[in-house]
Amino acid sequence: MLLVCVASPAQAIDAASPLACRAPTELVRLAQPLVRTARRLANFEPLTIVAIGSSSTAGAGASAPETSYPSRLAAELKERFPGRPITVINRGVNGEEARDMLARFPQDVIGEKPDLVLWQVGTNAVLRDDPLAPTSPIIHDGVRRIKEIGADVVMVDPQFVPRMIAKPGSETMVNLISAAAKEANVDLFQRFATMRHWREVEQLPFAAFTTPDNLHMNDWGYDCFAKLIGAAVAEAATRDIASAQAPVAQPATP
């Protein structure tokens, strides 16, 4: 099993003993290339990313706005692509469900003229025991609107934390988002499975990446999430370039 591993400070645990931020490649690799993102980066054109979602996008649990995942993602991408003008806009609002986010699309997503949209969704419907089926058509409607402006899309599913996994609908929501992303032919970052890997395979205690409310991520969790999704975006945006630069095998000389 190949692991994606990136350095990450353990602010919430012990700054002198950093935890390894990693996950299997099959969990964090994006299935679809990010065509528009790739073009903007290759041409050194401004890249605008909108992160829309609820509290885990807004940064609940982070010690400061600078340690939310969108802020950390901006830093990660600027480090990976020096000299490129990259902006990550945080459009997370605490407590929202998919329908609330869709209502904000005209101003908070479309209005920002993004090249890439990261849409985190699903957690609050599960926590409130709301019917889950309506989420799928909302995702399809939102993805359609994003595609109409030519932007790339990456869906982000819920977090694997105690209050979430205690709900019987958590796995159902994760599967629903996965199916909706596949049907819409857009990328999915498997945050639920990635965080489950941290807990069940890496044997990290929940306190390593979750705040005491057992719901939101702490600074280390947001930082690691940002590093992994940043690596996934970078790979998906440079995949064709890497393939084009790969050496071509020459036929053997008789």
Side-chain angles (χ1 to χ4, degrees):
M1 176 176 63
L2 181 63
L3 294 179
V4 173
C5 183
V6 287
S8 182
Q11 296 102 319
I13 305 301
D14 182 357
S17 304
L19 299 176
C21 172
R22 57 191 176 192
T25 301
E26 62 267 22
L27 293 184
V28 298
R29 187 179 190 272
L30 302 179
Q32 306 290 335
L34 300 175
V35 177
R36 179 162 174 155
T37 303
R39 184 169 62 248
R40 303 290 284 185
L41 289 171
N43 293 330
F44 282 77
E45 296 173 337
L47 176 69
T48 299
I49 301 172
V50 168
I52 185 165
S54 54
S55 57
S56 65
T57 295
S63 62
E66 294 75 20
T67 54
S68 67
Y69 110 75
S71 294
R72 297 307 306 141
L73 175 62
E76 176 71 15
L77 291 176
K78 288 175 182 178
E79 183 176 336
R80 287 178 173 272
F81 299 100
R84 273 79 158 185
I86 299 173
T87 301
V88 181
I89 301 171
N90 189 337
R91 288 292 179 259
V93 174
N94 294 347
E96 286 199 337
E97 297 186 30
R99 63 176 179 271
D100 306 309
M101 299 173 206
L102 191 64
R104 294 194 287 119
F105 264 44
Q107 177 175 339
D108 286 359
V109 179
I110 310 302
E112 298 291 353
K113 297 179 173 59
D115 304 296
L116 169 62
V117 177
L118 308 176
W119 188 6
Q120 167 261 313
V121 70
T123 300
N124 289 313
V126 173
L127 292 175
R128 294 167 182 156
D129 299 312
D130 289 347
L132 305 186
T135 301
S136 183
I138 292 173
I139 290 175
H140 281 285
D141 190 9
V143 168
R144 175 187 57 80
R145 297 189 195 186
I146 297 169
K147 285 185 171 181
E148 285 177 350
I149 63 170
D152 298 321
V153 186
V154 176
M155 302 299 302
V156 178
D157 60 20
Q159 60 268 46
F160 185 86
V161 290
R163 283 175 59 185
M164 186 67 183
I165 62 179
K167 290 291 186 176
S170 61
E171 297 273 4
T172 301
M173 176 60 82
V174 169
N175 292 334
L176 184 153
I177 295 171
S178 176
K182 186 174 182 179
E183 291 169 10
N185 198 34
V186 296
D187 278 309
L188 169 68
F189 186 88
Q190 301 178 72
R191 181 173 61 158
F192 190 86
T194 296
M195 295 176 69
R196 172 183 272 168
H197 175 86
W198 296 347
R199 179 68 189 97
E200 297 182 355
V201 179
E202 299 292 330
Q203 296 291 297
L204 296 181
F206 277 116
F209 54 87
T210 307
T211 59
D213 69 1
N214 287 322
L215 175 61
H216 297 104
M217 299 166 77
N218 60 21
D219 284 359
W220 186 91
Y222 283 128
D223 186 69
C224 186
F225 170 41
K227 287 180 180 297
L228 292 173
I229 197 170
V233 167
E235 191 279 328
T238 56
R239 188 175 301 163
D240 291 340
I241 295 173
S243 298
Q245 293 175 342
V248 177
Q250 298 297 320
T253 303

PDB file of all heavy atoms in Angstrom, residues 164-195:
ATOM      1  N   MET A 164     -20.002  12.081  14.600  1.00  0.00           N
ATOM      2  CA  MET A 164     -20.493  11.733  13.270  1.00  0.00           C
ATOM      3  C   MET A 164     -20.695  10.225  13.144  1.00  0.00           C
ATOM      4  O   MET A 164     -21.747   9.768  12.687  1.00  0.00           O
ATOM      5  CB  MET A 164     -19.493  12.230  12.218  1.00  0.00           C
ATOM      6  CG  MET A 164     -19.967  12.064  10.791  1.00  0.00           C
ATOM      7  SD  MET A 164     -21.374  13.131  10.438  1.00  0.00           S
ATOM      8  CE  MET A 164     -21.723  12.643   8.753  1.00  0.00           C
ATOM      9  N   ILE A 165     -19.716   9.451  13.536  1.00  0.00           N
ATOM     10  CA  ILE A 165     -19.816   8.007  13.339  1.00  0.00           C
ATOM     11  C   ILE A 165     -20.810   7.358  14.298  1.00  0.00           C
ATOM     12  O   ILE A 165     -21.209   6.208  14.094  1.00  0.00           O
ATOM     13  CB  ILE A 165     -18.435   7.322  13.447  1.00  0.00           C
ATOM     14  CG1 ILE A 165     -17.823   7.516  14.833  1.00  0.00           C
ATOM     15  CG2 ILE A 165     -17.503   7.870  12.370  1.00  0.00           C
ATOM     16  CD1 ILE A 165     -16.469   6.848  15.006  1.00  0.00           C
ATOM     17  N   ALA A 166     -21.223   8.097  15.333  1.00  0.00           N
ATOM     18  CA  ALA A 166     -22.259   7.582  16.228  1.00  0.00           C
ATOM     19  C   ALA A 166     -23.636   7.587  15.574  1.00  0.00           C
ATOM     20  O   ALA A 166     -24.554   6.919  16.045  1.00  0.00           O
ATOM     21  CB  ALA A 166     -22.295   8.407  17.516  1.00  0.00           C
ATOM     22  N   LYS A 167     -23.769   8.327  14.487  1.00  0.00           N
ATOM     23  CA  LYS A 167     -25.045   8.433  13.790  1.00  0.00           C
ATOM     24  C   LYS A 167     -25.187   7.304  12.764  1.00  0.00           C
ATOM     25  O   LYS A 167     -24.276   7.062  11.963  1.00  0.00           O
ATOM     26  CB  LYS A 167     -25.145   9.784  13.073  1.00  0.00           C
ATOM     27  CG  LYS A 167     -25.284  10.975  14.009  1.00  0.00           C
ATOM     28  CD  LYS A 167     -26.642  10.950  14.688  1.00  0.00           C
ATOM     29  CE  LYS A 167     -26.891  12.191  15.521  1.00  0.00           C
ATOM     30  NZ  LYS A 167     -28.250  12.208  16.101  1.00  0.00           N
ATOM     31  N   PRO A 168     -26.328   6.630  12.735  1.00  0.00           N
ATOM     32  CA  PRO A 168     -26.502   5.524  11.785  1.00  0.00           C
ATOM     33  C   PRO A 168     -26.476   5.957  10.323  1.00  0.00           C
ATOM     34  O   PRO A 168     -26.214   5.140   9.447  1.00  0.00           O
ATOM     35  CB  PRO A 168     -27.866   4.938  12.171  1.00  0.00           C
ATOM     36  CG  PRO A 168     -28.571   6.033  12.912  1.00  0.00           C
ATOM     37  CD  PRO A 168     -27.501   6.793  13.619  1.00  0.00           C
ATOM     38  N   GLY A 169     -26.717   7.240  10.056  1.00  0.00           N
ATOM     39  CA  GLY A 169     -26.742   7.707   8.671  1.00  0.00           C
ATOM     40  C   GLY A 169     -25.401   8.131   8.119  1.00  0.00           C
ATOM     41  O   GLY A 169     -25.319   8.544   6.955  1.00  0.00           O
ATOM     42  N   SER A 170     -24.335   8.050   8.907  1.00  0.00           N
ATOM     43  CA  SER A 170     -23.044   8.577   8.449  1.00  0.00           C
ATOM     44  C   SER A 170     -22.525   7.849   7.220  1.00  0.00           C
ATOM     45  O   SER A 170     -22.140   8.481   6.223  1.00  0.00           O
ATOM     46  CB  SER A 170     -22.009   8.517   9.578  1.00  0.00           C
ATOM     47  OG  SER A 170     -21.801   7.185  10.006  1.00  0.00           O
ATOM     48  N   GLU A 171     -22.501   6.521   7.257  1.00  0.00           N
ATOM     49  CA  GLU A 171     -22.012   5.748   6.106  1.00  0.00           C
ATOM     50  C   GLU A 171     -22.915   5.931   4.899  1.00  0.00           C
ATOM     51  O   GLU A 171     -22.450   5.996   3.756  1.00  0.00           O
ATOM     52  CB  GLU A 171     -21.911   4.262   6.472  1.00  0.00           C
ATOM     53  CG  GLU A 171     -20.931   3.948   7.576  1.00  0.00           C
ATOM     54  CD  GLU A 171     -19.521   3.744   7.068  1.00  0.00           C
ATOM     55  OE1 GLU A 171     -19.275   3.918   5.853  1.00  0.00           O
ATOM     56  OE2 GLU A 171     -18.660   3.403   7.905  1.00  0.00           O
ATOM     57  N   THR A 172     -24.224   6.039   5.148  1.00  0.00           N
ATOM     58  CA  THR A 172     -25.171   6.254   4.048  1.00  0.00           C
ATOM     59  C   THR A 172     -24.885   7.566   3.334  1.00  0.00           C
ATOM     60  O   THR A 172     -24.887   7.640   2.097  1.00  0.00           O
ATOM     61  CB  THR A 172     -26.614   6.255   4.574  1.00  0.00           C
ATOM     62  OG1 THR A 172     -26.882   5.010   5.211  1.00  0.00           O
ATOM     63  CG2 THR A 172     -27.617   6.478   3.444  1.00  0.00           C
ATOM     64  N   MET A 173     -24.612   8.617   4.107  1.00  0.00           N
ATOM     65  CA  MET A 173     -24.311   9.918   3.507  1.00  0.00           C
ATOM     66  C   MET A 173     -23.011   9.864   2.717  1.00  0.00           C
ATOM     67  O   MET A 173     -22.918  10.404   1.603  1.00  0.00           O
ATOM     68  CB  MET A 173     -24.226  11.000   4.585  1.00  0.00           C
ATOM     69  CG  MET A 173     -23.824  12.378   4.057  1.00  0.00           C
ATOM     70  SD  MET A 173     -24.974  13.042   2.809  1.00  0.00           S
ATOM     71  CE  MET A 173     -26.260  13.718   3.888  1.00  0.00           C
ATOM     72  N   VAL A 174     -21.999   9.208   3.265  1.00  0.00           N
ATOM     73  CA  VAL A 174     -20.718   9.085   2.560  1.00  0.00           C
ATOM     74  C   VAL A 174     -20.928   8.374   1.226  1.00  0.00           C
ATOM     75  O   VAL A 174     -20.409   8.811   0.181  1.00  0.00           O
ATOM     76  CB  VAL A 174     -19.692   8.334   3.430  1.00  0.00           C
ATOM     77  CG1 VAL A 174     -18.456   7.956   2.616  1.00  0.00           C
ATOM     78  CG2 VAL A 174     -19.289   9.182   4.631  1.00  0.00           C
ATOM     79  N   ASN A 175     -21.694   7.301   1.237  1.00  0.00           N
ATOM     80  CA  ASN A 175     -21.955   6.555  -0.003  1.00  0.00           C
ATOM     81  C   ASN A 175     -22.789   7.370  -0.978  1.00  0.00           C
ATOM     82  O   ASN A 175     -22.586   7.306  -2.200  1.00  0.00           O
ATOM     83  CB  ASN A 175     -22.659   5.240   0.316  1.00  0.00           C
ATOM     84  CG  ASN A 175     -21.767   4.271   1.067  1.00  0.00           C
ATOM     85  OD1 ASN A 175     -20.548   4.334   0.963  1.00  0.00           O
ATOM     86  ND2 ASN A 175     -22.367   3.377   1.848  1.00  0.00           N
ATOM     87  N   LEU A 176     -23.730   8.153  -0.452  1.00  0.00           N
ATOM     88  CA  LEU A 176     -24.577   8.985  -1.306  1.00  0.00           C
ATOM     89  C   LEU A 176     -23.744  10.041  -2.030  1.00  0.00           C
ATOM     90  O   LEU A 176     -23.913  10.256  -3.237  1.00  0.00           O
ATOM     91  CB  LEU A 176     -25.664   9.641  -0.451  1.00  0.00           C
ATOM     92  CG  LEU A 176     -26.739  10.490  -1.133  1.00  0.00           C
ATOM     93  CD1 LEU A 176     -28.020  10.469  -0.300  1.00  0.00           C
ATOM     94  CD2 LEU A 176     -26.271  11.939  -1.305  1.00  0.00           C
ATOM     95  N   ILE A 177     -22.843  10.694  -1.308  1.00  0.00           N
ATOM     96  CA  ILE A 177     -21.998  11.721  -1.922  1.00  0.00           C
ATOM     97  C   ILE A 177     -21.077  11.098  -2.960  1.00  0.00           C
ATOM     98  O   ILE A 177     -20.867  11.658  -4.042  1.00  0.00           O
ATOM     99  CB  ILE A 177     -21.194  12.473  -0.842  1.00  0.00           C
ATOM    100  CG1 ILE A 177     -22.146  13.249   0.067  1.00  0.00           C
ATOM    101  CG2 ILE A 177     -20.174  13.417  -1.481  1.00  0.00           C
ATOM    102  CD1 ILE A 177     -21.474  13.849   1.290  1.00  0.00           C
ATOM    103  N   SER A 178     -20.530   9.934  -2.646  1.00  0.00           N
ATOM    104  CA  SER A 178     -19.660   9.237  -3.586  1.00  0.00           C
ATOM    105  C   SER A 178     -20.403   8.915  -4.875  1.00  0.00           C
ATOM    106  O   SER A 178     -19.890   9.125  -5.984  1.00  0.00           O
ATOM    107  CB  SER A 178     -19.114   7.955  -2.949  1.00  0.00           C
ATOM    108  OG  SER A 178     -18.341   7.224  -3.868  1.00  0.00           O
ATOM    109  N   ALA A 179     -21.621   8.391  -4.737  1.00  0.00           N
ATOM    110  CA  ALA A 179     -22.423   8.043  -5.918  1.00  0.00           C
ATOM    111  C   ALA A 179     -22.783   9.282  -6.723  1.00  0.00           C
ATOM    112  O   ALA A 179     -22.735   9.275  -7.962  1.00  0.00           O
ATOM    113  CB  ALA A 179     -23.680   7.290  -5.493  1.00  0.00           C
ATOM    114  N   ALA A 180     -23.143  10.375  -6.031  1.00  0.00           N
ATOM    115  CA  ALA A 180     -23.521  11.610  -6.723  1.00  0.00           C
ATOM    116  C   ALA A 180     -22.330  12.185  -7.482  1.00  0.00           C
ATOM    117  O   ALA A 180     -22.474  12.660  -8.622  1.00  0.00           O
ATOM    118  CB  ALA A 180     -24.056  12.628  -5.722  1.00  0.00           C
ATOM    119  N   ALA A 181     -21.142  12.159  -6.875  1.00  0.00           N
ATOM    120  CA  ALA A 181     -19.940  12.665  -7.549  1.00  0.00           C
ATOM    121  C   ALA A 181     -19.626  11.824  -8.782  1.00  0.00           C
ATOM    122  O   ALA A 181     -19.265  12.357  -9.842  1.00  0.00           O
ATOM    123  CB  ALA A 181     -18.756  12.663  -6.590  1.00  0.00           C
ATOM    124  N   LYS A 182     -19.778  10.513  -8.647  1.00  0.00           N
ATOM    125  CA  LYS A 182     -19.500   9.625  -9.776  1.00  0.00           C
ATOM    126  C   LYS A 182     -20.490   9.858 -10.907  1.00  0.00           C
ATOM    127  O   LYS A 182     -20.117   9.931 -12.082  1.00  0.00           O
ATOM    128  CB  LYS A 182     -19.552   8.167  -9.320  1.00  0.00           C
ATOM    129  CG  LYS A 182     -19.129   7.170 -10.393  1.00  0.00           C
ATOM    130  CD  LYS A 182     -19.064   5.762  -9.834  1.00  0.00           C
ATOM    131  CE  LYS A 182     -18.595   4.768 -10.903  1.00  0.00           C
ATOM    132  NZ  LYS A 182     -18.494   3.391 -10.357  1.00  0.00           N
ATOM    133  N   GLU A 183     -21.757   9.997 -10.567  1.00  0.00           N
ATOM    134  CA  GLU A 183     -22.785  10.240 -11.588  1.00  0.00           C
ATOM    135  C   GLU A 183     -22.570  11.575 -12.291  1.00  0.00           C
ATOM    136  O   GLU A 183     -22.826  11.710 -13.487  1.00  0.00           O
ATOM    137  CB  GLU A 183     -24.166  10.201 -10.946  1.00  0.00           C
ATOM    138  CG  GLU A 183     -24.599   8.816 -10.474  1.00  0.00           C
ATOM    139  CD  GLU A 183     -25.840   8.864  -9.610  1.00  0.00           C
ATOM    140  OE1 GLU A 183     -26.460   9.951  -9.536  1.00  0.00           O
ATOM    141  OE2 GLU A 183     -26.178   7.827  -9.012  1.00  0.00           O
ATOM    142  N   ALA A 184     -22.110  12.568 -11.538  1.00  0.00           N
ATOM    143  CA  ALA A 184     -21.871  13.899 -12.109  1.00  0.00           C
ATOM    144  C   ALA A 184     -20.509  14.003 -12.787  1.00  0.00           C
ATOM    145  O   ALA A 184     -20.190  15.030 -13.376  1.00  0.00           O
ATOM    146  CB  ALA A 184     -21.990  14.956 -11.017  1.00  0.00           C
ATOM    147  N   ASN A 185     -19.710  12.942 -12.667  1.00  0.00           N
ATOM    148  CA  ASN A 185     -18.379  12.892 -13.278  1.00  0.00           C
ATOM    149  C   ASN A 185     -17.475  14.007 -12.747  1.00  0.00           C
ATOM    150  O   ASN A 185     -16.793  14.695 -13.510  1.00  0.00           O
ATOM    151  CB  ASN A 185     -18.479  12.974 -14.810  1.00  0.00           C
ATOM    152  CG  ASN A 185     -17.214  12.492 -15.497  1.00  0.00           C
ATOM    153  OD1 ASN A 185     -16.545  11.580 -15.012  1.00  0.00           O
ATOM    154  ND2 ASN A 185     -16.867  13.097 -16.619  1.00  0.00           N
ATOM    155  N   VAL A 186     -17.477  14.160 -11.409  1.00  0.00           N
ATOM    156  CA  VAL A 186     -16.589  15.127 -10.773  1.00  0.00           C
ATOM    157  C   VAL A 186     -15.782  14.407  -9.696  1.00  0.00           C
ATOM    158  O   VAL A 186     -16.100  13.293  -9.281  1.00  0.00           O
ATOM    159  CB  VAL A 186     -17.355  16.313 -10.154  1.00  0.00           C
ATOM    160  CG1 VAL A 186     -18.059  17.105 -11.241  1.00  0.00           C
ATOM    161  CG2 VAL A 186     -18.337  15.840  -9.087  1.00  0.00           C
ATOM    162  N   ASP A 187     -14.750  15.063  -9.231  1.00  0.00           N
ATOM    163  CA  ASP A 187     -13.849  14.466  -8.258  1.00  0.00           C
ATOM    164  C   ASP A 187     -14.456  14.439  -6.861  1.00  0.00           C
ATOM    165  O   ASP A 187     -15.322  15.253  -6.510  1.00  0.00           O
ATOM    166  CB  ASP A 187     -12.532  15.231  -8.214  1.00  0.00           C
ATOM    167  CG  ASP A 187     -11.585  14.810  -9.329  1.00  0.00           C
ATOM    168  OD1 ASP A 187     -11.366  13.598  -9.478  1.00  0.00           O
ATOM    169  OD2 ASP A 187     -11.081  15.693 -10.043  1.00  0.00           O
ATOM    170  N   LEU A 188     -13.947  13.507  -6.066  1.00  0.00           N
ATOM    171  CA  LEU A 188     -14.329  13.383  -4.661  1.00  0.00           C
ATOM    172  C   LEU A 188     -13.072  13.210  -3.824  1.00  0.00           C
ATOM    173  O   LEU A 188     -12.255  12.327  -4.103  1.00  0.00           O
ATOM    174  CB  LEU A 188     -15.246  12.174  -4.455  1.00  0.00           C
ATOM    175  CG  LEU A 188     -15.509  11.763  -2.994  1.00  0.00           C
ATOM    176  CD1 LEU A 188     -16.339  12.835  -2.282  1.00  0.00           C
ATOM    177  CD2 LEU A 188     -16.202  10.402  -2.926  1.00  0.00           C
ATOM    178  N   PHE A 189     -12.923  14.050  -2.805  1.00  0.00           N
ATOM    179  CA  PHE A 189     -11.864  13.821  -1.820  1.00  0.00           C
ATOM    180  C   PHE A 189     -12.486  13.069  -0.664  1.00  0.00           C
ATOM    181  O   PHE A 189     -13.412  13.562  -0.005  1.00  0.00           O
ATOM    182  CB  PHE A 189     -11.240  15.123  -1.327  1.00  0.00           C
ATOM    183  CG  PHE A 189     -10.062  14.887  -0.426  1.00  0.00           C
ATOM    184  CD1 PHE A 189      -8.787  14.737  -0.948  1.00  0.00           C
ATOM    185  CD2 PHE A 189     -10.230  14.761   0.954  1.00  0.00           C
ATOM    186  CE1 PHE A 189      -7.699  14.485  -0.124  1.00  0.00           C
ATOM    187  CE2 PHE A 189      -9.150  14.510   1.773  1.00  0.00           C
ATOM    188  CZ  PHE A 189      -7.882  14.363   1.240  1.00  0.00           C
ATOM    189  N   GLN A 190     -11.967  11.870  -0.380  1.00  0.00           N
ATOM    190  CA  GLN A 190     -12.558  10.978   0.613  1.00  0.00           C
ATOM    191  C   GLN A 190     -12.052  11.319   2.022  1.00  0.00           C
ATOM    192  O   GLN A 190     -11.241  10.612   2.607  1.00  0.00           O
ATOM    193  CB  GLN A 190     -12.230   9.530   0.268  1.00  0.00           C
ATOM    194  CG  GLN A 190     -12.739   9.105  -1.096  1.00  0.00           C
ATOM    195  CD  GLN A 190     -12.354   7.682  -1.417  1.00  0.00           C
ATOM    196  OE1 GLN A 190     -12.886   6.717  -0.851  1.00  0.00           O
ATOM    197  NE2 GLN A 190     -11.415   7.530  -2.343  1.00  0.00           N
ATOM    198  N   ARG A 191     -12.588  12.391   2.564  1.00  0.00           N
ATOM    199  CA  ARG A 191     -12.143  12.828   3.887  1.00  0.00           C
ATOM    200  C   ARG A 191     -12.531  11.813   4.970  1.00  0.00           C
ATOM    201  O   ARG A 191     -11.739  11.529   5.882  1.00  0.00           O
ATOM    202  CB  ARG A 191     -12.738  14.211   4.211  1.00  0.00           C
ATOM    203  CG  ARG A 191     -12.315  14.747   5.561  1.00  0.00           C
ATOM    204  CD  ARG A 191     -12.751  16.170   5.802  1.00  0.00           C
ATOM    205  NE  ARG A 191     -14.196  16.336   5.762  1.00  0.00           N
ATOM    206  CZ  ARG A 191     -14.847  17.352   6.335  1.00  0.00           C
ATOM    207  NH1 ARG A 191     -14.162  18.278   6.986  1.00  0.00           N
ATOM    208  NH2 ARG A 191     -16.148  17.459   6.253  1.00  0.00           N
ATOM    209  N   PHE A 192     -13.737  11.264   4.882  1.00  0.00           N
ATOM    210  CA  PHE A 192     -14.206  10.298   5.874  1.00  0.00           C
ATOM    211  C   PHE A 192     -13.272   9.096   5.935  1.00  0.00           C
ATOM    212  O   PHE A 192     -12.822   8.686   7.006  1.00  0.00           O
ATOM    213  CB  PHE A 192     -15.628   9.859   5.506  1.00  0.00           C
ATOM    214  CG  PHE A 192     -16.339   9.059   6.559  1.00  0.00           C
ATOM    215  CD1 PHE A 192     -17.038   9.689   7.582  1.00  0.00           C
ATOM    216  CD2 PHE A 192     -16.344   7.668   6.521  1.00  0.00           C
ATOM    217  CE1 PHE A 192     -17.716   8.949   8.551  1.00  0.00           C
ATOM    218  CE2 PHE A 192     -17.014   6.920   7.473  1.00  0.00           C
ATOM    219  CZ  PHE A 192     -17.706   7.564   8.492  1.00  0.00           C
ATOM    220  N   ALA A 193     -12.947   8.522   4.796  1.00  0.00           N
ATOM    221  CA  ALA A 193     -12.067   7.354   4.748  1.00  0.00           C
ATOM    222  C   ALA A 193     -10.640   7.705   5.163  1.00  0.00           C
ATOM    223  O   ALA A 193      -9.948   6.903   5.804  1.00  0.00           O
ATOM    224  CB  ALA A 193     -12.075   6.747   3.348  1.00  0.00           C
ATOM    225  N   THR A 194     -10.193   8.908   4.793  1.00  0.00           N
ATOM    226  CA  THR A 194      -8.846   9.343   5.168  1.00  0.00           C
ATOM    227  C   THR A 194      -8.714   9.471   6.680  1.00  0.00           C
ATOM    228  O   THR A 194      -7.741   8.993   7.278  1.00  0.00           O
ATOM    229  CB  THR A 194      -8.525  10.686   4.488  1.00  0.00           C
ATOM    230  OG1 THR A 194      -8.498  10.505   3.072  1.00  0.00           O
ATOM    231  CG2 THR A 194      -7.173  11.219   4.951  1.00  0.00           C
ATOM    232  N   MET A 195      -9.697  10.097   7.320  1.00  0.00           N
ATOM    233  CA  MET A 195      -9.652  10.263   8.769  1.00  0.00           C
ATOM    234  C   MET A 195      -9.850   8.924   9.484  1.00  0.00           C
ATOM    235  O   MET A 195      -9.286   8.699  10.557  1.00  0.00           O
ATOM    236  CB  MET A 195     -10.681  11.301   9.206  1.00  0.00           C
ATOM    237  CG  MET A 195     -10.384  12.704   8.692  1.00  0.00           C
ATOM    238  SD  MET A 195     -11.659  13.924   9.106  1.00  0.00           S
ATOM    239  CE  MET A 195     -11.442  14.054  10.893  1.00  0.00           C
TER     240      MET A 195
END
